[in-house]
Amino acid sequence: MSLRFQLLLFGLLTLVLPWTGLRYVREMEGALRGGLEQSLQGRATTVAAALEEQDLPLCSVPPCTPDDAAHGTPIYAAPLAAEPNVDGVRDDWNGGDAAIEIGDGHRLYAGVYRRFVYLFVTVADRDLVYQRLPGQRPYGDRVALALEPSPGVVRWLLLNTSAPGAFRAQETSPDKFEPTEAYDARVIGAWQETATGYALEVRLPLNLVGSALGVGVIDVDRNGADYTAALSATWDETSGAPGRFIYQRPELKTLLDQFGRGAGRFRILDADGWVLSAVGNVEPRATERGTTLVGDLFRWLLRRDDPPYLGELPPGRVADPALRIALTGDGATAWYGSGPDREAIVAAAVPIMGAGAPRGAVLLEQASDPILTLTNDALVRLMTVTLLATVVVGLGLLGYATWLSVRVRRLAHAAETALGPRGEIRTRMPGAAASDELGVLARSFTQLLERLREHTEYLRTLSGKLSHELRTPLAVVTTSLDNLDHEVKTETAELYLKRLREGTTRLDAILVAMSEATQLEQAIGETAAEPVDLRVVVESCCNAYRDVYREREIAFRCAAVVTGIVGSGELVAQLLDKLVDNAASFSAPGSRIDVEIADSGRELVLSVTNNGPALPAKMRRQLFDSLVSIREQRDGRPHLGLGLHIVALVAEFHGGRCEADDLPDGSGVVFRVWFPRRDSAG
């Protein structure tokens, strides 16, 4: 694991700070929501207590009758903001927009304004049939109303006409719903034809409707010479009982006006969840919060999956199960999301008790910011500063880790490349001037490499020093042996003298080789570079090698067209001498030595290939170092490992490089030397 990655992981610990802040904010958010719920419950409880004390009836006309299967569809009349004109057109209705379906394609709209009930019925009928004459069949298309002005007493009214326009309601009876010409002057209406049928609008007094209302549409169609009638109604088909008629009570609104001056909307519900009065509004309030990136981030982190606000389903009746719990006698609170921005709406429901049982409920709803904690500017600033501090610390640690990683990599690269291809040692380490631990490490590496370089330099010049120091005593020993040869003539002495001369001869050869290497190093430094044709030098040398190495086949091939280099032909010849001598030493008699010049882009490659043993794996990098030899003493000559070292010196003098490698099939070894071309040489 890299140092940068380790420090980055360590830097992740700074995330504990914003995580702790987030947990704190979540707890505060929960506390704020709980406080707001308690506040709404307290206000709703106050209203419920006032209703219990005044003992106001929680139904349109007492006694209240719950909805069950024996009654028809309840009809809820929404309050109208203005009195509509009874003209058969609903464009002047301000409220009561929710429709009740009657049969297939018929709709009923109901509203209340002051002391009157307004009904608007749209009928889908492609075959309109009007009553021809009063009392004469067919009675035509018509609408019937079932009213309950007093408990248990149902009154039926018929709405029909012989032509579009104003009409009056008539008394009628169920089953046939025939006209009776017994008109009720309190009920007025208007009939208008539409593109899909007809529409009628009617106004009735509240006391005439009572506590129940049913609407039925009688559709009369021609069937040859006769007529057929079909009934679609909201009352119960079996019992004929109309459904409840519910509207908002003025006396309850007067009471709510005393409590509903604050924010939010108060609603009073009856035992079945129908809204009997409503004051205020619950539209999400427009907040002036900024749409900053940090604010949006916090809203995303603190978001809550509040359910959507259902409102009233069916219209006028609270449908949310969480709020209807109050109708069973227990208080309830709930949060909702409303609108595209998911503005929060909090609702609190408190039961209204009477005679030991819930008679209804008070419902208080209020719009709120979805994230209450974000309304506190100081808290938002604190959260922003905490987040920015975490980001800055994280980026700082990442940058510092990157800087340390780069320094360590530079130091590691310098340590890996401190030893050059020819054994030279580069002692300069990057970052040695730094005062931290990495600077101390770099200086320690520099001191170590400097001492190693001094020792290597001593070993490199040791051969020259030894050859100089040993030559004089060797000359003394040789002279003494010559003098002793004239003095002693015994057979045993002759044997010892012969051995001494062989030893001194070998020692002299060693000193000559060591001196030759030292002199060659000095000569290389003093040699002036000049244009040389590499092919001419190598080809002439190969011709000479064929006479020297008669037991080997010397093959020369030149695949390059331009073979000019800048350097020294004599040094190139010495380089080739060492390579061919090395190839001859490691190849069997009768084998072949290939000498080739090839083209390698801006360089020329001189290669010498021979069959024989492979290179030792552990010494491949030291083959061109001084005093390194893996050759066996098979020819009686000393081998000090200076030949390939001289090859490396000559290659370096020409600005090239050298390497040794095994043949792909493992049958031998190839030595390659790269020379820059004359046109690309510096």
Side-chain angles (χ1 to χ4, degrees):
M1 186 182 297
S2 65
L3 180 63
R4 177 170 54 182
F5 189 67
Q6 294 180 37
L7 285 177
L8 179 60
L9 291 180
F10 179 76
L12 293 179
L13 294 177
T14 59
L15 294 178
V16 173
L17 184 62
W19 178 81
T20 304
L22 183 61
R23 292 295 302 270
Y24 169 75
V25 171
R26 287 188 180 277
E27 294 295 332
M28 180 176 291
E29 177 74 14
L32 291 176
R33 284 200 168 204
L36 184 56
E37 291 174 0
Q38 292 180 1
S39 174
L40 295 182
Q41 278 189 324
R43 294 172 59 189
T45 301
T46 302
V47 177
L51 290 172
E52 292 173 0
E53 291 178 359
Q54 298 187 21
D55 195 24
L56 294 176
L58 301 183
C59 56
S60 301
V61 175
C64 298
T65 56
D67 300 334
D68 54 40
H71 293 77
T73 303
I75 296 177
Y76 183 83
L80 301 178
E83 181 180 5
N85 294 322
V86 182
D87 54 5
V89 181
R90 211 178 65 86
D91 55 358
D92 56 351
W93 279 46
N94 190 358
D97 297 328
I100 299 175
E101 297 290 337
I102 305 176
D104 187 12
H106 314 317
R107 292 186 177 184
L108 168 66
Y109 300 87
V112 173
Y113 182 77
R114 294 182 180 177
R115 296 180 296 107
F116 292 97
V117 178
Y118 291 84
L119 302 177
F120 192 92
V121 183
T122 62
V123 179
D125 189 357
R126 295 293 182 180
D127 183 15
L128 291 181
V129 177
Y130 293 101
Q131 183 180 10
R132 295 177 180 176
L133 294 173
Q136 183 179 356
R137 294 174 60 91
Y139 303 128
D141 295 321
R142 55 201 184 275
V143 175
L145 301 180
L147 314 174
E148 192 174 348
S150 58
V153 178
V154 179
R155 184 178 179 185
W156 299 86
L157 293 180
L158 184 65
L159 309 177
N160 75 325
T161 183
S162 59
F167 65 89
R168 293 179 297 171
Q170 307 177 51
E171 299 285 347
T172 189
S173 59
D175 297 334
K176 295 184 179 181
F177 299 102
E178 298 175 344
T180 61
E181 298 185 11
Y183 298 102
D184 191 331
R186 295 173 298 175
V187 181
I188 61 174
W191 185 298
Q192 294 287 348
E193 292 186 3
T194 63
T196 58
Y198 66 92
L200 62 86
E201 186 176 14
V202 64
R203 187 189 73 179
L204 305 90
L206 265 174
N207 56 3
L208 178 62
V209 176
S211 61
L213 174 63
V215 179
V217 177
I218 299 97
D219 183 16
V220 178
D221 294 322
R222 296 177 180 87
N223 186 10
D226 200 359
Y227 294 88
T228 60
L231 173 64
S232 300
T234 63
W235 56 71
D236 183 74
E237 295 180 358
T238 302
S239 64
R244 288 184 57 196
F245 176 68
I246 308 108
Y247 65 97
Q248 297 192 13
R249 303 292 304 278
E251 60 272 23
L252 296 178
K253 185 177 185 304
T254 302
L255 176 65
L256 285 183
D257 286 338
Q258 303 175 12
F259 300 95
R261 292 188 178 92
R265 176 177 66 180
F266 275 104
R267 288 191 290 177
I268 296 178
L269 312 180
D270 68 1
D272 289 326
W274 293 99
V275 179
L276 300 183
S277 183
V279 173
N281 63 80
V282 73
E283 293 297 327
R285 58 188 179 184
T287 58
E288 298 181 356
R289 61 171 184 249
T291 57
T292 61
L293 180 62
V294 177
D296 293 340
L297 176 61
F298 289 152
R299 288 183 178 86
W300 180 78
L301 292 175
L302 299 175
R303 70 189 186 281
R304 293 177 179 265
D305 296 328
D306 295 328
Y309 185 65
L310 298 178
E312 299 172 351
L313 294 174
R317 190 178 191 183
V318 174
D320 193 287
L323 299 178
R324 291 179 64 87
I325 293 177
L327 301 177
T328 64
D330 297 324
T333 58
W335 286 80
Y336 306 95
S338 176
D341 296 332
R342 303 294 294 170
E343 296 288 348
I345 294 178
V346 57
V350 176
I352 302 173
M353 306 300 294
R359 300 167 48 225
V362 175
L363 178 61
L364 175 57
E365 300 152 302
Q366 179 176 316
S368 171
D369 193 292
I371 310 298
L372 298 177
T373 52
L374 294 183
T375 60
N376 190 322
D377 294 338
L379 183 59
V380 172
R381 287 195 297 269
L382 176 61
M383 295 167 64
T384 303
V385 171
T386 302
L387 180 61
L388 291 179
T390 302
V391 173
V392 170
V393 171
L395 293 178
L397 285 176
L398 180 60
Y400 180 68
T402 303
W403 178 61
L404 283 182
S405 178
V406 170
R407 291 181 61 191
V408 171
R409 288 182 181 276
R410 289 175 55 195
L411 185 59
H413 179 71
E416 291 175 355
T417 59
L419 184 62
R422 198 171 54 85
E424 68 274 14
I425 299 177
R426 305 180 183 91
T427 60
R428 184 176 179 84
M429 290 285 109
S435 58
D436 55 5
E437 286 77 2
L438 289 180
V440 174
L441 180 61
R443 289 190 292 273
S444 300
F445 277 159
T446 301
Q447 296 175 3
L448 176 63
L449 293 174
E450 184 65 30
R451 295 177 60 185
L452 183 60
R453 187 188 64 80
E454 293 175 356
H455 183 68
T456 304
E457 182 65 21
Y458 168 76
L459 294 178
R460 190 180 66 82
T461 59
L462 181 61
S463 61
K465 296 177 181 178
L466 288 177
S467 63
H468 176 74
E469 296 296 333
L470 294 178
R471 188 165 296 281
T472 300
L474 182 60
V476 173
V477 173
T478 303
T479 304
S480 300
L481 287 175
D482 291 338
N483 295 332
L484 186 60
D485 188 31
H486 294 87
E487 297 294 335
V488 181
K489 297 296 184 179
T490 63
E491 184 178 350
T492 304
E494 287 290 341
L495 177 61
Y496 290 145
L497 287 174
K498 181 179 179 182
R499 292 179 179 177
L500 285 173
R501 287 189 179 278
E502 291 177 354
T504 54
T505 300
R506 295 180 60 187
L507 184 58
D508 184 63
I510 293 174
L511 294 177
V512 169
M514 295 171 64
S515 299
E516 179 182 354
T518 303
Q519 293 171 2
L520 182 59
E521 291 184 15
Q522 297 175 355
I524 289 176
E526 299 173 357
T527 301
E530 60 184 8
V532 176
D533 191 331
L534 183 63
R535 174 174 182 170
V536 173
V537 176
V538 174
E539 187 174 11
S540 62
C541 291
C542 288
N543 293 332
Y545 296 152
R546 294 186 180 94
D547 295 332
V548 177
Y549 303 100
R550 296 182 179 275
E551 296 181 354
R552 309 291 192 279
E553 179 185 353
I554 307 298
F556 170 72
R557 189 171 70 91
C558 181
V561 178
V562 179
T563 58
I565 64 173
V566 176
S568 171
E570 181 180 352
L571 293 180
V572 171
Q574 293 192 40
L575 176 145
L576 191 58
D577 289 345
K578 304 303 181 183
L579 292 178
V580 173
D581 180 67
N582 183 79
S585 299
F586 286 94
S587 60
S591 62
R592 174 176 168 175
I593 299 175
D594 292 308
V595 180
E596 181 181 0
I597 299 176
D599 196 343
S600 179
R602 301 181 63 183
E603 294 177 312
L604 295 174
V605 182
L606 173 62
S607 61
V608 177
T609 306
N610 67 275
N611 294 327
L615 296 174
K618 295 183 179 181
M619 298 188 64
R620 292 193 177 190
R621 293 188 177 183
Q622 291 81 29
L623 286 178
F624 296 95
D625 292 347
S626 178
L627 299 177
V628 175
S629 178
I630 59 173
R631 189 182 317 199
E632 297 179 358
Q633 304 290 341
R634 294 181 299 178
D635 52 2
R637 295 184 300 164
H639 298 284
L640 303 181
L642 296 174
L644 295 180
H645 178 60
I646 293 175
V647 171
L649 292 177
V650 174
E652 183 180 0
F653 169 77
H654 288 85
R657 65 190 187 282
C658 55
E659 72 172 19
D661 199 2
D662 295 330
L663 293 177
D665 57 0
S667 61
V669 176
V670 56
F671 284 80
R672 299 184 182 91
V673 181
W674 281 264
F675 294 93
R677 289 179 182 276
R678 182 185 304 172
D679 55 356
S680 61

